Amino acid sequence: MSDEPLIATATTLNTIRPELLTMTFGQMAALSPWIWALGGALSMMLAAVLFKTWKWVVPALMIMATAGAAWSSTMLMDLGDQFLFNRMMLVDRFTLVFTVLFAISALVTTLSSMKYLDREGLQHPEYYILMLFSMIGMMNMVSALDLVVIFVALELMSISVYVLVGFRRADRRSNEAAVKYFVLGGAASAVFLYGSALLYGATGSINIQEILAAVEAGRAGGSLLFVLGAALVIFGFLFKVASFPFHMWMPDVYEGAPAPITGFMTTGIKAASFATFVRVMAGLGYGDGLAEAVQKHLHDILWISAALTMVIGNVIALTQVNLKRMLAYSSIAHTGYLLVGILVGPASDSGYGPIYLYLLAYTVMNLGAFAVLSALAKRGDSGINLHDMAGLSKRQPLMAFGMAVFLFSMAGIPPTAGFAAKYLLFYSAVQAGEIWITVIAVLCSAISVYYYLRVLVYMYMREPAEAGGSAGRSWMASAAVLAMIVLTLQIGVLPSRVIETAKSISKTAVPQIGQAGARAAR
Amino acid sequence: MTAINPIAFYLFAGVALAFSVMTVLRKNPVSSAFSLVMVFFSFAGIYAILGAHLIATLQVLVYAGAIMVLFVFVVMLLNSDSPSFDFRRTPALFRVAAGLVCAALFVLFVRVFKNSPPVLTPGAFTAEAVDAAGGNTRVISELMFSEYVLPFELTSVLLLAAIVGAVALAKRHSVAKPVSKKGVAHVAATR
């Protein structure tokens, strides 16, 4: 797709450009994950209206759409970079591997939701449709090269989830969580949008590549307007990933949301926000091309936020007895580790690769943990406190074993995925010369072992307090838990293939304007 | 771009600011909503003096017209007179801190805008060029379906998701009713 620069040489405007309305074969092929997802969403809406038996049709379509999106993404890995829609969208390996991650997240959440929704009396087709819409938003966010597209995709992702958080309408906490998330999320979107406007003022473009080009040409990198815009955009993302000091909303929202949706939020939304965060940071010229002072400024913002996020998340998690809330604080702590990854990314050899590996490992283990919680929860999301776990190994051995594997993985104990991810992340931090933040991260990681393993003690070494009837079993949830156990162990024992993928995407995470061809020609 | 009329700008901007403050401070939700209508009207005025006539018209039609009327209807139907939050009961420390933060932000923004370059390089879309190409409406509609087709289509997906979400929240779930009562009782007991 060749395009003329917006800054026209003549006074006449060239607004009709037929070349934008055609697509090459490669570009069409690159859209196939979107065709699966969007086609799935629309056919689910139709099926919900047309069939009385939608209860089986809609989840089946959901499984088909997510599996199809994941499958077509893996097929496209060797397609090469495809720029689409006037270079507002880029389908490259970075986009595709994250699309696979989102699809896994939506698929596993669907499996663990079926029984859960029956128990809560909430089996409605909108639940699955909104989840798929949220996934489409995530896919568009990761592939976007334009701040406006990022914003619209961010809203698509968030608005669907606001509704899902409040899906248990009869529950006070669910309502509170939805309103809290909606109001604060709206404010964060506004901050992000204002930052984008200031970036446009400073660089003359909202395209990430053109912003990067302006920074590298020294036209904007040092101006105060640029710094303020960049800081506001970063704050918007820090809110979305719930890092200090924008983490206040998270425990309440995660506790109030239906358990499977909490799993979806901690994995899908977090991964999408971090992936886009990486793209935008690279586009702002972080670590490469920024003026020295600005670079230091952005570095310090991230450093302080990362350090405090890790400390606060881990320390508060120590005192939690509700497992959903404990995992929420642990999720804040993991956000801190991931911020370290962004902080050191440009200065280390593996670039942003460790972030992908960490997000993949975190997605797998956290989805598993929430699938277990969804299966164990009683009506109204009760019965998932620490003491309810007592003697779980006798009542439900598979769930207990799964939870044990996931908690070991979150604590970062080998041979699990969490260990491989943490090892690579901390290694790249040391390589980048960030010794102090690594020390803090390792210490926090040691603190976290206490509250993760405490659950294990309850599950395996305490007798059940009462012979309470366990919640009914669902083979779908069991299958999901089993698959996540296998993946957690597989990434932990044989991480090399995933690491290779992670390293290969970290090179393309930064969309260089020169690679595009069209720009280079001028 | 031709220079904009400073008197008109300060008039509209001042009205917008004054009514924004009113929107936040008024106790009666209906009068808050009407202050917001005034804010939208002044924004339309600012768009008009910038030469974006189509946007100004749409602002009046869509925001001040359709959306705000719906908004006012909802506010009136809900009839929520009692404020759920009384800002006079916030601790003094919080108020002082909030004031300081606001002042600091104000100083920061003034400083940033004073130090930024006075005139950014104008893009291709000057008022004259747009007029020569057939006017605002034509240029926007042409751009929307070529250059900006992705955000445009994505917005329609967003609206679809919002409709589904609104239905999901507003629909009467008859099956869930007996369940929900128990759920509430249970939650109340555990809290």
Side-chain angles (χ1 to χ4, degrees), chain A residues 425-444:
Chain A
L425 187 74
F426 294 165
Y427 180 71
S428 75
V430 171
Q431 208 175 31
E434 298 279 352
I435 304 300
W436 279 109
I437 197 92
T438 317
V439 170
I440 297 175
V442 172
L443 284 180
C444 286

Side-chain angles (χ1 to χ4, degrees), chain A residues 128-147:
Chain A
Y128 302 103
I129 297 170
L130 284 170
M131 203 151 70
L132 198 51
F133 272 128
S134 182
M135 190 185 106
I136 295 168
M138 292 170 195
M139 288 161 65
N140 270 310
M141 224 169 121
V142 177
S143 63
L145 281 186
D146 189 284
L147 290 174

Side-chain angles (χ1 to χ4, degrees), chain A residues 347-382:
Chain A
S348 75
D349 284 348
S350 35
Y352 293 114
I355 295 187
Y356 174 67
L357 181 62
Y358 202 100
L359 278 172
L360 181 68
Y362 182 70
T363 299
V364 168
M365 59 205 186
N366 221 37
L367 275 176
F370 275 99
V372 171
L373 285 190
S374 313
L376 295 181
K378 300 203 176 66
R379 185 172 282 166
D381 263 7
S382 61

Side-chain angles (χ1 to χ4, degrees), chain A residues 408-491:
Chain A
F408 269 125
S409 182
M410 283 186 208
I413 294 167
T416 53
F419 169 74
K422 267 191 184 143
Y423 175 77
L424 193 67
L425 187 74
F426 294 165
Y427 180 71
S428 75
V430 171
Q431 208 175 31
E434 298 279 352
I435 304 300
W436 279 109
I437 197 92
T438 317
V439 170
I440 297 175
V442 172
L443 284 180
C444 286
S445 196
I447 295 177
S448 72
V449 174
Y450 169 74
Y451 61 82
Y452 288 131
L453 295 197
R454 191 172 50 169
V455 182
L456 232 75
V457 171
Y458 270 87
M459 286 193 304
Y460 280 90
M461 299 174 192
R462 298 267 170 101
E463 290 302 314
E466 65 200 82
S470 62
R473 274 160 220 199
S474 136
W475 62 268
M476 284 199 182
S478 306
V481 171
L482 210 59
M484 292 301 110
I485 294 175
V486 170
L487 274 179
T488 308
L489 294 176
Q490 204 241 328
I491 299 173

Side-chain angles (χ1 to χ4, degrees), chain A residues 15 17 86 126 169-170 201, chain B residues 120 124 142 147 169 171 180 184:
Chain A
T15 52
R17 287 156 51 192
N86 192 27
E126 292 91 353
R169 287 189 316 165
Chain B
L120 297 158
E142 280 166 4
E147 228 165 274
L169 283 182
K171 198 165 77 174
S180 61
V184 168

Side-chain angles (χ1 to χ4, degrees), chain A residues 146-159:
Chain A
D146 189 284
L147 290 174
V148 167
V149 180
I150 291 181
F151 175 72
V152 179
L154 179 82
E155 288 300 295
L156 177 58
M157 173 184 90
S158 309
I159 284 183

Side-chain angles (χ1 to χ4, degrees), chain B residues 95-141:
Chain B
R95 283 202 234 173
V96 172
L100 281 180
V101 169
C102 287
L105 271 182
F106 185 71
V107 171
L108 177 72
F109 277 98
V110 168
R111 209 181 132 218
V112 165
F113 286 121
K114 280 213 145 181
N115 287 339
S116 53
V119 179
L120 297 158
T121 42
F125 292 87
T126 56
E128 297 80 34
V130 169
D131 281 341
N136 257 312
T137 316
R138 180 169 178 170
V139 169
I140 286 179
S141 52

